[in-house]
Amino acid sequence: MIRAAAYARFSSDNQRDESIDAQLSAIHKFAQDNGFEIVAEYIDRAKTGTNDRREDFQRMIADSASGDFEAVIVHKLDRFARSRYDSAFYKRTLKTNGVQLVSVLEHFGSEPESIIMEGLLESMSEYYSANLSREVKKGQMENALACKHTGGQPPLGYQVTADLKYEINENEAKVIQYIFNSVLNGKSYADISEELNQRG
């Protein structure tokens, strides 16, 4: 049996732990069917694969030097990294430590052509993230130009309608008016803040 570590990741707060469960389930089944023994699990939740600032990912890379496992199994290569540089760098680190990277869904074999296929998939993963970021920013810009809400908490005194337009929140508007009137009457920011906190 080849000792292996399982690595799972999802990239957005909008995703859920079910994504992790599905990845780990597929990894464990693959391991059972292909002569691997899972001896460790590393999981990063709501962490992008476009950079390496992932706590469990870094712990896994560090642990790869310990000799505790001989392979890292991921559901797909884009769970490991969505950056070609990071993918190449950390795969090299694993290889130096005698650890192979294995994908449940992508099998390249040992033929020279596999180098091209693996590189192509890594490029597509990086393109997907870059293109998604561009499209999101474009959508946010279009919303902003149309005076629509682009996400997050609306400014104090406003609320967001069903069609993403801003409208005055009457209750919060009274607070805004109170703040401005208090400033005009010479009250300090500290006094205004204390009074508002007392009001709840």
Side-chain angles (χ1 to χ4, degrees):
M1 298 283 282
I2 301 173
R3 292 167 298 147
Y7 178 69
R9 175 186 67 81
F10 67 77
S11 58
S12 168
D13 288 322
N14 294 325
Q15 293 178 291
R16 300 178 295 179
D17 279 342
E18 284 84 345
S19 172
I20 294 293
D21 294 339
Q23 291 176 52
L24 290 177
S25 177
I27 289 171
H28 278 273
K29 185 178 186 309
F30 175 87
Q32 183 178 358
D33 293 343
N34 291 276
F36 293 94
E37 177 190 5
I38 301 298
V39 296
E41 290 182 353
Y42 300 88
I43 300 169
D44 283 310
R45 294 176 171 84
K47 298 291 184 180
T48 178
T50 58
N51 62 59
D52 60 357
R53 295 189 294 274
R54 293 172 268 153
E55 183 177 346
D56 253 28
F57 179 82
Q58 290 296 342
R59 187 165 64 88
M60 176 185 70
I61 296 298
D63 289 350
S64 70
S66 68
D68 290 340
F69 50 85
E70 305 156 83
V72 169
I73 304 178
V74 294
H75 186 232
K76 291 179 64 180
L77 288 177
D78 63 9
R79 300 302 86 194
F80 185 77
R82 281 192 180 274
S83 159
R84 288 169 296 165
Y85 172 81
D86 285 345
S87 180
F89 179 83
Y90 288 108
K91 281 194 296 186
R92 179 66 179 177
T93 302
L94 291 179
K95 187 175 181 180
T96 299
N97 293 335
V99 177
Q100 60 176 314
L101 178 63
V102 180
S103 168
V104 171
L105 295 182
E106 297 136 342
H107 311 286
F108 301 106
S110 57
E111 297 299 321
E113 291 78 11
S114 66
I115 299 172
I116 297 175
M117 289 302 300
E118 189 169 356
L120 179 61
L121 281 176
E122 289 172 348
S123 296
M124 289 174 63
S125 292
E126 186 170 353
Y127 165 77
Y128 172 83
S129 292
N131 185 60
L132 179 62
S133 175
R134 179 178 62 185
E135 292 302 313
V136 168
K137 289 177 181 177
K138 184 171 69 175
Q140 289 176 333
M141 178 61 72
E142 290 299 318
N143 277 350
L145 291 173
C147 299
K148 290 186 176 182
H149 184 57
T150 59
Q153 186 73 19
L156 183 65
Y158 291 91
Q159 60 193 19
V160 180
T161 64
D163 60 352
L164 300 181
K165 293 286 189 177
Y166 287 112
E167 67 178 13
I168 293 176
N169 181 311
E170 296 298 338
N171 290 329
E172 292 183 358
K174 294 176 183 177
V175 176
I176 299 294
Q177 291 170 345
Y178 169 78
I179 292 172
F180 274 87
N181 288 332
S182 296
V183 171
L184 291 174
N185 291 329
K187 287 187 178 181
S188 68
Y189 294 152
D191 288 339
I192 296 171
S193 176
E194 183 177 353
E195 288 184 25
L196 290 174
N197 286 331
Q198 289 175 352
R199 293 185 181 188

